[in-house]
Amino acid sequence: MRKIVSALGLLSLCTLAIAADAVGATEKQATNWHAIIMFCIFVTLTMGITYWAASRTKSTSDFYTAGGGITGFQNGLAIAGDYMSAATLLGLTAMVYMQGYDGYIYMLCFFAGWPIILFLMAERLRNLGKFTFSDITAYRLDQGKVRTMAAISSLTVVCFYLIAQMVGAGQLIKLLFGLDYNVAIFAVGILMMVYVTFGGMVATTWVQIIKAVMLLSGGTLVMFLAMSYFNFSFTNVMDQAMSVHKLGEKLMHPGSLLADPITAISLGLGLMFGTAGLPHILMRFFTVTDAKEARKSVLYASGFVAYFFNVIFLMGLTAIIIVGQNPDFFEGGEIGKKLIGGGNMVAMHLAKAVGGDMLLGFLAAVAFATILAVVSGLALAGASAISHDIYARVIKKGTASEAAEIRVSKIATICLGFVAIVLGIAFEKQNIAFMVGLAFGVAAAANFPVLILSMYWKGLTTRGALWGGYGGLVSAVLFVLFSKSVWVDVLGNAAPLFPYTQPALFAMPIAFLLAWIGSTSDASVRAQAEKEAFGDQYVRAQTGFGAASASNH
Amino acid sequence: MSSVMYERMRENPKFRELVAKRGRFAWTLAAIVLTMFYGFVMVVAFAPESLGQPIAEGSRWTVGLVAELFMFIFFWVLTAVYVRKANTEFDALSQEIVREAWKENK
């Protein structure tokens, strides 16, 4: 196996060498070397970690949850890393640059889910779960049916989220390396497959931690340098930004993105409860020793996330003046025309403006590392839904050997890699921050309601969980499909069938209502037994007695 | 076996104390966050202009900016408060409950 890791490592370095050639051939500037070298360092380092992790990944517990041996601080960084995707860095900076205050509202919505996860979920997740969140929803319900449902909705969320990441990767590499969009997508997909198949959760976690540290420090440096243009005065930034931005004094007013109340409320619900339903985030709760470390993870993660969102807000505001008033960053050199590389490149242009090619290279490497890390986390969550839930529990009914389960998850990772590549190419023209919003909507309506009911409501039965889960999933997907973003922008129809872009406000009540009707109308013997089993589950959730513990003892 | 243990723990009055105390504390904090956050979302939805007002004449700081920055900090402080209390007081109590259930075994 080690040989294959090194071979693939070499292969990816060859790809990079070809990439470098392509840059030499198509663009005269030699400046891109900074980015290439820094990215090579990152890939070499993470390949080394993957090589090391491969030797430590033997059991299913190692593969899915790093043996439960990650500390609260490490996991906090990794969660922050998982959560702060390229869409966060590129999409939200661009959103503040273009819409001002709306971007800041989005950020608070992304953040506000964390305290709720801590107060109501973290402890029970850790005490009840083992590898995937379906372990919790299926705890006292019909394993086969409930896990199939949870796996399908997990995979839907993973696919939506993957699209956003892959599109970001393609645009970024296209700009930096002068590579074809499709080639860039393939490079990301293949590197991700290497990390996950060989290194499992250990490698994924460390890639995530390194990337989180790089992202936090890189963002802070850009923000610091940009603010130095304004003597670190927020009032200075605002004075100048308002005088040049097309929104003028309206820059700090909630604007067009949240034009109607329904969209604003639906977005708030979707982002808050979507966070609590993302399979790759939920999975991180099982990598720590116990509930105590799980709580600490949330404390560190939410601290980093809150800090970084404020950094991004300042980056977006300063970019209005530093990038928005510099003709070098516009196509044809005309201020106000299309930005070079598209709207999502604001953060990159800012880095170049305040720190030159060196800082641009670093931030580009960070953004690329971010995409790789998040994609890896998503792929692992998706693969575990296929191998642990579908294969080991539904098809083999718990009789699969660990080796067979790991093999299936590796095959699943490779399949997901190819799905990501295909979808990344298909969705090239979509705004990436917006795609993440869609993933959150599905997570909030399909995963969250059943998960929270299974932990808090004694009356939930298999039938209720299935009705709620499938009802939430189907309605969220249909609302998205019929909304402007897919029905009009992708499928080319004249008018949307569903007038709002955010599904949560409508899909979440449908899921809860169906779960309630399905459960209360269920008078079967089996449903009675499921309700009675809640008692033991409740004690375990509260005390942690019987919870899956760290494997290294 | 474990079912017997769960039964014993459930009957321990300390278990009821743990559940009541921690539940009350967690739900109080959650209610604060949910009220403030959805209150803010409602203002965004129904009175967006009010967020764009400056906090003082001529200031570039708006009501919306100050409110958001406050929530970022305050919500994080609440997580710190919960983690502190849960990791000391509540965890000690729950360990006690498990220990007492084991003792009855012998």
Side-chain angles (χ1 to χ4, degrees):
Chain A
M1 181 191 284
R2 284 177 173 212
K3 275 184 193 155
I4 307 173
V5 174
S6 346
L8 281 168
L10 274 177
L11 184 74
S12 64
L13 287 176
C14 293
T15 317
L16 282 171
I18 296 164
D21 279 343
V23 170
T26 54
E27 285 176 34
K28 290 279 176 254
Q29 302 137 322
T31 51
N32 295 337
W33 283 108
H34 297 287
I36 293 168
I37 291 165
M38 275 182 258
F39 178 68
C40 280
I41 295 171
F42 175 79
V43 170
T44 314
L45 185 65
T46 47
M47 280 297 159
I49 287 171
T50 307
Y51 180 80
W52 164 79
S55 64
R56 275 160 187 74
T57 302
K58 295 191 179 71
S59 65
T60 46
S61 161
D62 296 332
F63 187 81
Y64 295 129
T65 61
I70 306 286
T71 69
F73 181 73
Q74 290 166 346
N75 196 41
L77 267 176
I79 291 177
D82 254 328
Y83 201 60
M84 296 183 300
S85 59
T88 314
L89 178 68
L90 305 179
L92 289 176
T93 314
M95 199 183 275
V96 173
Y97 173 85
M98 286 182 277
Q99 311 277 350
Y101 189 62
D102 276 1
Y104 204 35
I105 297 175
Y106 255 76
M107 292 180 207
L108 185 70
C109 295
F110 273 117
F111 171 70
W114 284 106
I116 300 300
I117 290 179
L118 172 70
F119 303 149
L120 305 182
M121 294 171 72
E123 180 175 270
R124 291 180 192 217
L125 283 174
R126 181 62 194 88
N127 286 344
L128 293 174
K130 194 177 172 203
F131 295 155
T132 64
F133 80 89
S134 334
D135 291 334
I136 301 162
T137 45
Y139 191 86
R140 65 193 159 90
L141 306 179
D142 184 296
Q143 294 283 328
K145 290 175 187 159
V146 173
R147 276 184 196 272
T148 306
M149 179 270 291
I152 290 172
S153 59
S154 290
L155 287 169
T156 310
V157 175
V158 165
C159 286
F160 269 125
Y161 217 116
L162 271 175
I163 296 170
Q165 300 303 316
M166 296 305 274
V167 172
Q171 288 185 351
L172 184 71
I173 302 166
K174 192 167 78 176
L175 183 80
L176 276 166
F177 295 80
L179 261 183
D180 186 58
Y181 179 88
N182 294 354
V183 176
I185 296 273
F186 270 98
V188 173
I190 289 168
L191 278 171
M192 170 268 270
M193 288 181 217
V194 174
Y195 290 140
V196 179
T197 43
F198 294 107
M201 184 52 107
V202 180
T204 306
T205 302
W206 281 101
V207 168
Q208 208 66 265
I209 290 172
I210 295 171
K211 160 253 156 143
V213 171
M214 283 168 72
L215 184 65
L216 286 165
S217 50
T220 305
L221 183 61
V222 173
M223 181 274 286
F224 192 79
L225 290 173
M227 286 302 285
S228 74
Y229 282 49
F230 306 94
N231 295 323
F232 299 97
S233 158
F234 184 71
T235 307
N236 272 348
V237 177
M238 292 310 300
D239 277 339
Q240 296 190 35
M242 283 180 176
S243 68
V244 301
H245 200 280
K246 66 177 184 332
L247 292 172
E249 298 285 321
K250 290 277 183 199
L251 188 62
M252 284 299 113
H253 288 246
S256 58
L257 278 180
L258 303 160
D260 66 297
I262 303 285
T263 303
I265 296 167
S266 196
L267 177 84
L269 278 172
L271 295 190
M272 174 179 259
F273 295 109
T275 304
L278 292 174
H280 64 300
I281 298 281
L282 292 170
M283 198 174 178
R284 294 230 60 93
F285 284 94
F286 312 132
T287 63
V288 291
T289 334
D290 51 23
K292 193 175 269 191
E293 295 299 313
R295 291 185 202 108
K296 280 193 207 158
S297 313
V298 182
L299 176 67
Y300 292 122
S302 59
F304 291 130
V305 169
Y307 166 76
F308 198 67
F309 279 165
N310 283 283
V311 168
I312 285 180
F313 182 53
L314 287 176
M315 280 172 63
L317 288 178
T318 52
I320 291 171
I321 306 129
I322 298 173
V323 176
Q325 294 302 300
N326 187 339
D328 292 350
F329 296 121
F330 290 91
E331 282 179 4
E334 260 183 275
I335 289 175
K337 293 277 177 196
K338 194 170 170 278
L339 274 176
I340 293 173
N344 287 320
M345 288 301 134
V346 173
M348 292 298 137
H349 293 324
L350 182 67
K352 173 151 176 150
V354 299
D357 291 329
M358 198 69 180
L359 192 57
L360 170 68
F362 181 67
L363 202 68
V366 167
F368 197 7
T370 293
I371 291 167
L372 269 179
V374 173
V375 166
S376 305
L378 285 166
L380 185 57
S384 66
I386 294 171
S387 60
H388 178 63
D389 294 328
I390 302 277
Y391 172 76
R393 296 302 164 102
V394 179
I395 297 176
K396 291 284 176 181
K397 308 218 181 315
T399 60
S401 69
E402 289 208 358
E405 193 178 332
I406 292 180
R407 194 166 58 242
V408 170
S409 60
K410 288 181 177 179
I411 295 168
T413 306
I414 291 166
C415 294
L416 277 170
F418 284 111
V419 169
I421 289 168
V422 171
L423 291 178
I425 292 168
F427 281 82
E428 186 181 346
K429 306 287 178 205
Q430 295 279 308
N431 177 312
I432 57 177
F434 182 61
M435 286 304 293
V436 169
L438 297 187
F440 274 72
V442 177
N447 293 349
F448 173 76
V450 179
L451 180 61
I452 197 87
L453 286 177
S454 72
M455 293 193 292
Y456 276 90
W457 186 38
K458 185 180 182 216
L460 184 75
T461 69
T462 297
R463 190 164 84 173
L466 293 178
W467 288 18
Y470 284 122
L473 175 66
V474 170
S475 51
V477 170
L478 287 182
F479 284 138
V480 172
L481 178 68
F482 293 145
S483 74
K484 184 179 167 296
S485 51
V486 180
W487 195 249
V488 179
D489 298 349
V490 179
L491 300 175
N493 291 293
L497 297 179
F498 177 69
Y500 305 105
T501 51
Q502 300 293 335
L505 180 62
F506 306 93
M508 279 178 74
I510 291 176
F512 277 112
L513 190 68
L514 285 175
W516 182 74
I517 295 173
S519 300
T520 48
S521 66
D522 190 352
S524 62
V525 180
R526 148 147 229 137
Q528 204 49 46
E530 285 165 358
K531 286 175 194 167
E532 271 160 27
F534 184 79
D536 284 357
Q537 180 199 327
Y538 186 66
V539 179
R540 171 163 160 180
Q542 292 284 352
T543 60
F545 180 76
S549 54
S551 68
N552 49 350
H553 59 78
Chain B
M1 161 59 214
S2 59
S3 215
V4 180
M5 285 286 284
Y6 287 135
E7 190 59 42
R8 274 187 212 142
M9 286 185 224
R10 192 166 35 236
E11 277 162 12
N12 188 336
K14 281 182 187 159
F15 179 75
R16 236 161 296 147
E17 185 195 337
L18 170 73
V19 170
K21 263 192 184 168
R22 188 164 60 193
R24 202 162 47 229
F25 190 58
W27 280 104
T28 309
L29 294 182
I32 295 172
V33 171
L34 289 172
T35 312
M36 285 180 68
F37 177 69
Y38 284 101
F40 174 76
V41 171
M42 289 298 165
V43 176
V44 171
F46 294 105
E49 318 76 41
S50 61
L51 293 172
Q53 302 309 311
I55 48 165
E57 194 65 37
S59 170
R60 285 302 186 190
W61 285 91
T62 60
V63 175
L65 280 174
V66 174
E68 276 213 33
L69 189 60
F70 174 76
M71 276 187 274
F72 269 117
I73 297 166
F74 183 63
F75 289 174
W76 188 76
V77 169
L78 291 185
T79 65
V81 168
Y82 180 80
V83 170
R84 199 188 162 86
K85 197 158 161 121
N87 279 4
T88 53
E89 191 185 323
F90 299 145
D91 267 8
L93 193 57
S94 83
Q95 273 160 16
E96 228 173 278
I97 295 164
V98 175
R99 213 178 307 124
E100 283 174 20
W102 275 120
K103 239 184 247 162
E104 279 182 58
N105 246 0
K106 289 165 193 162

